[in-house]
Amino acid sequence: NAGVTQTPKFQVLKTGQSMTLQCAQDMNHEYMSWYRQDPGMGLRLIHYSVGAGITDQGEVPNGYNVSRSTTEDFPLRLLSAAPSQTSVYFCASSYSPETANYGYTFGSGTRLTVV
Amino acid sequence: AQKITQTQPGMFVQEKEAVTLDCTYDTSDPSYGLFWYKQPSSGEMIFLIYQGSYDQQNATEGRYSLNFQKARKSANLVISASQLGDSAMYFCAMREGAYGGYNKLIFGAGTRLAVHP
């Protein structure tokens, strides 16, 4: 099914470990974003990309890296996990040049716990 | 800077009644888009409705309508004939540039709606 696929769905990390959250979309969307969701704070933008090879920082980028080597994939890397990064992470994509549809599609989320 | 404010942390409504969820926004960009998303307990983000800043009419999608008051910078979501399945968290969000532009969708803190039988 077309959409945004996030893996893994759940992950437990120890403080200091690194990992990559995967995000892939098959809708030829140009824009991709990563958000984190914490209780009482809605979703906050971590990093975003307006196309392959182009990324930029959002509201809360510290401790995270991204790259966009292809249109389809936008992985989020945690360099050295900290308990403050315990959160639910959402990947979202938007804008299809073919349809001029600017709607956002969200992945199902990754629940990350750092102990 | 953009800002989205949802002042109602929680709301409840009787089944079959209408409910309004408040959202105010702040932006200096004349071109922007406003979104409402629903997040049920299962966690996925479900798109409900969109309003562009230049749209002349208020957006409607089935039982959802957006009460867009541009001068007041408010974009309240109205749910008519509430159903038990409407119980969820609701987020208001804004993007500067109504037709693309920046890829920054900024969210409010959300309102938790409970529908009582």
Side-chain angles (χ1 to χ4, degrees), chain A residues 49 51-55 68-70:
Chain A
S49 169
I54 307 170
T55 64
R68 183 98 179 268
S69 56
T70 67

Side-chain angles (χ1 to χ4, degrees), chain B residues 14-27:
Chain B
Q14 291 293 125
E15 194 178 8
K16 300 180 184 178
E17 298 291 316
V19 63
T20 297
L21 307 184
D22 294 341
C23 173
T24 58
Y25 60 91
D26 184 27
T27 180

Side-chain angles (χ1 to χ4, degrees), chain A residues 11-95:
Chain A
Q11 183 71 48
V12 178
L13 288 179
K14 294 183 178 179
T15 298
Q17 285 185 316
S18 63
M19 79 159 295
T20 299
L21 278 63
Q22 301 292 343
C23 176
Q25 53 88 13
D26 58 3
M27 298 170 284
N28 198 29
H29 280 175
E30 290 195 347
Y31 302 154
M32 296 187 76
S33 314
W34 276 102
Y35 294 85
R36 59 177 289 172
Q37 182 177 21
D38 302 299
M41 301 187 75
L43 279 74
R44 292 182 292 169
L45 182 64
I46 304 172
H47 285 285
Y48 66 99
S49 169
V50 299
I54 307 170
T55 64
D56 205 347
Q57 298 180 350
E59 299 175 77
V60 287
N62 292 340
Y64 307 96
N65 273 359
V66 292
S67 60
R68 183 98 179 268
S69 56
T70 67
T71 300
E72 294 77 19
D73 300 297
F74 191 43
L76 178 72
R77 297 182 187 85
L78 280 70
L79 308 173
S80 178
S84 61
Q85 293 179 304
T86 294
S87 189
V88 179
Y89 291 84
F90 286 96
C91 179
S93 70
S94 65
Y95 185 52

Side-chain angles (χ1 to χ4, degrees), chain A residues 31-33 35 37 40-43 45 48-50 57 59 90 94 102-108, chain B residues 35 37 39 42-45 47 89 91 95 98-110:
Chain A
Y31 302 154
M32 296 187 76
S33 314
Y35 294 85
Q37 182 177 21
M41 301 187 75
L43 279 74
L45 182 64
Y48 66 99
S49 169
V50 299
Q57 298 180 350
E59 299 175 77
F90 286 96
S94 65
Y102 290 88
Y104 286 82
T105 302
F106 281 80
S108 57
Chain B
F35 298 76
Y37 282 86
Q39 187 179 44
S42 51
E44 72 267 34
M45 296 292 287
F47 167 74
M89 195 76 167
F91 291 101
R95 173 181 63 199
Y99 302 107
Y102 304 115
N103 188 36
K104 295 182 182 180
L105 190 63
I106 305 300
F107 285 81

